[in-house]
Structure formats: C-alpha cells, structure tokens
Amino acid sequence: MVKRISKFADRVYELTRRIPRGKVMTYGQLAKLAGNPKAARAVGLLMKQNPDAPNTPCHRVVAADGSLTGYSGGGVSVKESMLKDEGVIFNGEKVDLGISRISGVT
DNA sequence: AAAATGACGGTGT
DNA sequence: TACACCGCCATTT
C-alpha cells in the first residue's frame, strides 16, 4: 500500500537510501536535508521503528560526532563492522567524518 | 488532543 | 574524553 508514513519520514528514508557505499550521513545532516535541521531525533526514531530493510541502510547513519548509536539489526558492533566492510574509515571508535561524511548530496 | 518516548545536537563542567 | 543538562522535533499510544 505504499502508504507514506509522513512527508518527513518518507524524505528521510529516501535520503538514507541514497547514501553511497563507503560513506555515512549524520542524523543532523539527514534531518536537515529532510527539511528540519533540528529533527535529528525524529530521524533516529524512524530508523529504529523501521527495519534495516535492504532498502533503508540505516547503518550508514551515524551521530554528528561520528560515534555510532543503536542499531535494530543487532547492535552498534554489527553496524561498525558493516561500515568498515563497506570502506568507511574509522578513527578509533568513531567514523572519520572528514572522509566518510557526505558533503555534496547532489 | 495531550502526554510520553527516543538510534540527536549542542554546550557546559 | 567523559558525563550531565537543555532544547528540538516527529512518531506512537
């Protein structure tokens, strides 16, 4: 029924789905592109409520400082492994936003 | 309609 | 770097 949960959620999922492999997007950045720079919380909420279905790689979404947060697909550990496996550069326990963070969405 | 919830972000200590 | 507090928002009950 392809029911749009809401304009915001639909937008967030769309952007999340567009995240290229080997790169990550922060909740704040995602929220901003979605239309509300302060809705980072709402964005994370949607990720958790929705499965990490193959169409929504929420594992490519990290916190603003590059630290990983929850992951309904198993936990942060799994998320970290996935990102590394995709080519994301990790700086200790955080993602190297200076390299893996998306700057030009295009 | 109102209250409660949460995978955030920023700032201060 | 780690922890605590506040502010913001959308979703769900």
Side-chain angles (χ1 to χ4, degrees), chain A residues 24-73:
Chain A
V24 298
M25 183 87 73
T26 70
Y27 296 97
Q29 182 74 53
L30 201 51
K32 181 174 179 167
L33 295 173
N36 295 340
K38 293 176 183 171
R41 265 181 124 158
V43 174
L45 188 68
L46 296 171
M47 299 286 138
K48 177 180 139 180
Q49 295 189 328
N50 284 288
D52 63 354
N55 28 324
T56 304
C58 35
H59 67 264
R60 289 185 187 156
V61 186
V62 301
D65 59 343
S67 54
L68 302 178
T69 32
Y71 181 56
S72 352

Side-chain angles (χ1 to χ4, degrees), chain A residues 66 68 79-80 83-84 88-96:
Chain A
L68 302 178
K79 191 162 154 185
E80 184 184 305
L83 293 170
K84 285 183 179 176
V88 176
I89 307 302
F90 265 73
N91 191 345
E93 316 204 354
K94 296 182 185 167
V95 178
D96 192 322

